Amino acid sequence: MVKFGSKDLARYPFLREALSYVTKNEFKLEDLDNPDYFHLVDRAKKKIEQYVFEGKLGYQIDYNKTHEIIVQEEVIIFLISLLLIKSVSIDSVTKKFALLESMRFEKYLVGDLDSSNHDDGKIKLILYEIFKDLFKTTIYLEVNIYNFYKIKIDDYLDHPIAFQEREWNLVNRTLNKGFVYLDSNEIVRLFRNELYLLIIDRIKRMNPKKVPEVIVTISNSIKNRWEKMYPPIRPSGHHDITPPCIQHIYDQIKNGENLSHPARVLLGTFLIYSNKSMEEMLDMFKRLPDFNEKITRYQLEHLAGKRGNTKQYFVPSCEKIKLNNLCFETEVCKGISNPAQFFYRKKF
Ligand code: SF4
């Protein structure tokens, strides 16, 4: 095991080495009702509220302390966050938190990989440890090209993204002597899903003997606020039947899952066709883990023909939806070639 003694470790509180900073002081989650921890509970609460209700990555590590205290505090805040999310116990909250928290770690990883060429060796060891221990992949620094890394082709192909998107296909990658070459952004992107799953897994594993009162109180308030903000999705519009493809998207949103680009276009055009107001549409999209109001508003206006070339986009045909694997055809789709036709079904 690599020994770390640096405050850099505070950026990766999920590592064993970071955890050892609190276990050696016999920290227990059951002790969180002790007022000595309230300032850390408060920081975890604020971080979660920013992630979950504002979709913002505003959390900052407080570096104005000794190295040991910085690492201890970051690990404890991380553990408190996991416990709070586990106590809220709403799938979509868990997924949104995991996405934003993994994006925070991604940012640190990209920054550290970018500077690891000229930094001391310690941070490099942390990074290699993360990839090797957690993701079971060895990454190598390419000494001949500035800030480039390489991984074995077999390891690369273990990642579904290598088959999902054209830019990630091997034919579009730089290869040499059995290695794939990637810059820091790409290497972190390759592991995006693993990082996200790691957070989900850590949340599931939170199992204290007794959940402290302070955690119960805060998690109840987060839960109530979430349920007020996001009441159950009801089928919209003046039609009786929701097309199965659209219902599937509603279910994904309800479960806190992210949507692919084609699914967003389908939902957006369908809602526009249903005569939904911008606020009603935003209300639907804001449930997505990576919601950004400015971008979503722009995209919806673009689909509605209020931006750019003023062309309004119509709901895609069933044929096109099938090509994007978004069709969930049932009996009700008989004779339908576009989900928009469901609007007229009621009249007959
Ligand atoms: S057949 Fe058309 S309307 Fe039905 S689920 Fe598939 S894409 Fe949607």
Side-chain angles (χ1 to χ4, degrees):
M1 183 163 86
V2 183
K3 287 270 170 256
F4 305 112
S6 156
K7 65 181 173 188
D8 295 320
L9 205 46
R11 294 198 281 279
Y12 307 107
F14 46 83
L15 289 179
R16 274 179 302 157
E17 290 75 8
L19 280 167
S20 71
Y21 273 67
V22 298
T23 48
K24 73 182 174 199
N25 289 335
E26 296 184 359
F27 166 79
K28 283 199 239 65
L29 286 166
E30 288 80 0
D31 295 339
L32 288 174
D33 278 327
N34 181 334
D36 286 350
Y37 291 114
F38 283 3
H39 65 297
L40 301 180
V41 173
D42 195 50
R43 288 189 59 203
K45 171 181 175 267
K46 287 195 175 119
K47 175 175 71 171
I48 291 173
E49 287 175 341
Q50 268 196 339
Y51 284 1
V52 171
F53 299 116
E54 298 165 38
K56 280 190 191 149
L57 275 182
Y59 183 80
Q60 301 277 353
I61 296 174
D62 179 2
Y63 283 112
N64 291 318
K65 298 182 178 168
T66 64
H67 291 178
E68 175 124 358
I69 299 288
I70 298 170
V71 180
Q72 278 174 10
E73 288 197 352
E74 285 308 310
V75 173
I76 295 175
I77 291 168
F78 179 65
L79 295 174
I80 295 171
S81 310
L82 302 182
L83 186 57
L84 277 169
I85 293 296
K86 170 109 185 210
S87 305
V88 170
S89 180
I90 297 177
D91 264 6
S92 35
V93 173
T94 303
K95 288 175 182 167
K96 189 158 186 177
F97 170 83
L99 182 77
L100 275 286
E101 188 73 326
S102 56
M103 282 163 72
R104 178 166 78 95
F105 297 136
E106 258 183 47
K107 249 176 36 182
Y108 299 148
L109 276 171
V110 172
D112 286 337
L113 284 169
D114 273 346
S115 59
S116 64
N117 263 3
H118 38 81
D119 257 21
D120 67 56
K122 235 172 225 163
I123 186 66
K124 235 183 270 181
L125 289 177
I126 294 179
L127 296 170
Y128 293 174
E129 180 86 351
I130 290 174
F131 288 99
K132 199 163 177 200
D133 254 35
L134 296 176
F135 306 144
K136 314 288 174 233
T137 308
T138 306
I139 61 165
Y140 304 87
L141 183 67
E142 171 51 65
V143 283
N144 297 319
I145 315 172
Y146 184 73
N147 267 356
F148 253 80
Y149 295 83
K150 55 185 184 182
I151 70 170
K152 287 195 180 129
I153 289 179
D154 282 356
D155 289 338
Y156 181 84
L157 292 176
D158 278 344
H159 297 268
I161 196 171
F163 305 96
Q164 285 164 354
E165 292 176 38
R166 193 180 299 175
E167 66 166 304
W168 291 90
N169 289 352
L170 273 188
V171 284
N172 295 317
R173 295 276 113 200
T174 306
L175 309 175
N176 189 28
K177 294 182 182 159
F179 286 96
V180 184
Y181 285 69
L182 302 156
D183 68 19
S184 49
N185 254 310
E186 291 170 332
I187 203 139
V188 173
R189 230 183 112 197
L190 188 67
F191 290 90
R192 178 170 285 175
N193 198 40
E194 276 86 345
L195 209 46
Y196 168 81
L197 293 175
L198 173 92
I199 312 282
I200 297 270
D201 179 61
R202 294 293 164 92
I203 293 168
K204 278 191 193 145
R205 285 205 262 147
M206 295 308 281
N207 225 353
K209 285 190 193 106
K210 180 181 178 299
V211 180
E213 271 309 304
V214 65
I215 298 296
V216 174
T217 309
I218 296 172
S219 61
N220 280 342
S221 85
I222 294 173
K223 195 173 177 155
N224 291 339
R225 191 172 158 192
W226 178 269
E227 284 171 346
K228 259 191 211 134
M229 259 177 103
Y230 302 111
I233 299 171
R234 270 182 283 279
S236 54
H238 52 277
H239 54 102
D240 285 328
I241 312 166
T242 305
C245 47
I246 300 295
Q247 187 57 51
H248 185 260
I249 293 179
Y250 289 158
D251 293 342
Q252 280 184 293
I253 296 177
K254 204 170 115 204
N255 293 332
E257 286 164 32
N258 231 340
L259 296 181
S260 64
H261 178 69
R264 284 167 202 245
V265 172
L266 171 57
L267 179 62
T269 49
F270 186 80
L271 292 175
I272 290 166
Y273 191 75
S274 322
N275 277 328
K276 290 285 161 199
S277 70
M278 179 57 76
E279 292 320 306
E280 285 173 308
M281 292 194 283
L282 288 174
D283 196 48
M284 180 70 71
F285 277 93
K286 79 179 177 193
R287 298 159 193 260
L288 296 177
D290 63 350
F291 174 70
N292 176 312
E293 181 169 343
K294 214 168 136 198
I295 295 174
T296 309
R297 192 181 280 276
Y298 178 88
Q299 288 170 335
L300 288 169
E301 284 174 354
H302 181 73
L303 289 176
K306 292 179 183 156
R307 291 245 179 201
N309 59 9
T310 66
K311 172 188 164 195
Q312 181 176 347
Y313 290 80
F314 194 61
V315 184
S317 64
C318 294
E319 203 181 357
K320 200 160 177 198
I321 295 168
K322 279 176 189 155
L323 283 176
N324 284 315
N325 294 325
L326 294 170
C327 170
F328 294 86
E329 192 170 358
T330 65
E331 282 282 289
V332 295
C333 300
K334 223 171 180 184
I336 288 279
S337 59
N338 189 302
Q341 288 172 280
F342 277 87
F343 286 99
Y344 307 108
R345 284 226 144 164
K346 192 190 166 201
K347 292 177 185 166
F348 301 105

